[in-house]
Amino acid sequence: MKRMILLLAIITLQHTCSNIDTLQSVAEQYCKGTDPRQVAEFREGIRELNYDLIGESEVWAGLVIKINQWE
């Protein structure tokens, strides 16, 4: 029996928001899943990671936010 080892690493990306970006649209762009619940969870993960910048508000043009992804 062969065993496979799967290695994952979390990487942090930076995204500069445009005037048409929303937190939802950014999550849809970077989330690897398509299920609405996955995207919603990913969106809230972005909010949590950047809470010191955006709190409960939306993103704005020129704002640079961090996004974590598994690779």
Side-chain angles (χ1 to χ4, degrees):
M1 174 195 277
K2 290 186 179 182
R3 293 185 183 200
M4 293 180 53
I5 298 174
L6 178 63
L7 296 175
L8 292 174
I10 196 164
I11 60 167
T12 301
L13 307 171
Q14 288 188 336
H15 175 83
T16 303
C17 298
S18 72
N19 61 345
I20 61 169
D21 278 336
T22 64
L23 205 51
Q24 179 70 25
S25 69
V26 173
E28 289 170 354
Q29 180 179 350
Y30 287 94
C31 184
K32 297 193 182 203
T34 57
D35 184 295
R37 290 173 292 182
Q38 286 176 306
V39 176
E41 187 174 319
F42 196 80
R43 180 191 66 227
E44 293 311 309
I46 295 171
R47 181 182 304 284
E48 185 178 320
L49 185 61
N50 296 280
Y51 198 81
D52 58 328
L53 293 173
I54 60 175
E56 295 296 323
S57 65
E58 266 299 329
V59 297
W60 55 88
L63 177 67
V64 178
I65 59 174
K66 295 181 253 177
I67 300 168
N68 283 341
Q69 282 191 328
W70 289 101
E71 290 287 325

